[in-house]
Amino acid sequence: MTLPESIASIAESQIGVRETKRNGGDMIEEYQKATWLPVGSWAWCAAFCCWVVKRAIEGRSVTFRRPETAGAWDFERWCKSVDRSVMLKKPHKGDIKRGDIVCFTFSHIGIALGSPNEAGYLYTCEGNTNGEGSREGDGVYKKTRHISKIRSRIRFRG
C-alpha cells in the first residue's frame, strides 16, 4: 500500500471516534500525544493528522521528519522544512488526491479521501469537527468540502 493510501485508510478507520469530554477522551489524548504539546483541552484537528501520519509511516523507511505540530496552518511550515518527499502546493488549483493533507481557509486541517468532483467537492476525514463542519467539534467525521475552502494541500510521495 502506498503511503498516501495508508494515510487515507488509517484516517477513515477513525471515523466515529468522539470526545468523551470537551477536547478530550482516550483517543483524543492519543492524537494529542503525536504533537509536541502536552495533552490538554485544546483543539486537536492537527494532532489527528500528526497521529495518522505517525501510524502510516510505522515500519516504513521515510526521509522526512514527521509532523508534530498542533497548529493547522503550521503544517505548511513543517512541509517547507522537510525534504522533497513531502510537497506543499499553495494555491492548490484543485490538484488534490486521496491521502493528501488539506489545510482549510478557516484554520482547520484534514485528510483528502479522494479528488474533487466536477462541481469542486471532495470527501475529507477530519478530527475535531462535527456534523455541521465546525473547526471546533466533537469527533472524527467524514465531511464533504468545496475546494474553495481549501488553502493548500500537502502530498506525500509513494
Side-chain angles (χ1 to χ4, degrees):
M1 184 181 304
T2 66
L3 180 55
E5 180 57 37
S6 183
I7 288 169
S9 295
I10 291 167
E12 285 175 312
S13 77
Q14 299 300 294
I15 294 170
V17 169
R18 297 291 182 268
E19 295 176 350
T20 55
K21 58 185 177 181
R22 180 154 172 74
N23 285 323
D26 290 344
M27 278 310 300
I28 283 67
E29 290 176 9
E30 287 303 309
Y31 304 150
Q32 290 178 331
K33 287 176 185 176
T35 74
W36 56 268
L37 270 181
V39 169
S41 182
W42 44 269
W44 48 274
C45 61
F48 172 72
C49 291
C50 289
W51 180 86
V52 168
V53 172
K54 179 181 177 183
R55 290 281 315 277
I57 64 174
E58 286 174 355
R60 293 179 187 264
S61 177
V62 296
T63 58
F64 61 86
R65 175 185 42 83
R66 78 170 178 83
E68 296 181 87
T69 180
W73 291 350
D74 199 40
F75 259 78
E76 293 174 353
R77 182 176 27 246
W78 164 79
C79 185
K80 291 176 184 177
S81 76
V82 297
D83 66 27
R84 300 275 306 152
S85 65
V86 186
M87 300 163 289
L88 172 71
K89 189 165 184 186
K90 179 181 175 185
H92 58 82
K93 298 186 179 179
D95 176 24
I96 300 167
K97 295 181 180 177
R98 181 172 171 83
D100 287 349
I101 292 177
V102 289
C103 298
F104 295 102
T105 58
F106 49 99
S107 191
H108 185 61
I109 193 166
I111 296 168
L113 299 180
S115 297
N117 65 20
E118 291 176 4
Y121 289 92
L122 70 150
Y123 289 116
T124 59
C125 182
E126 304 166 26
N128 201 39
T129 191
N130 59 21
E132 291 75 44
S134 170
R135 68 185 187 102
E136 183 59 48
D138 65 355
V140 180
Y141 288 78
K142 181 178 182 178
K143 302 302 303 172
T144 303
R145 301 285 190 181
H146 193 268
I147 59 172
S148 64
K149 299 294 182 194
I150 297 174
R151 164 185 163 116
S152 64
R153 67 98 173 121
I154 296 169
R155 180 165 298 153
F156 296 84
R157 289 195 187 163

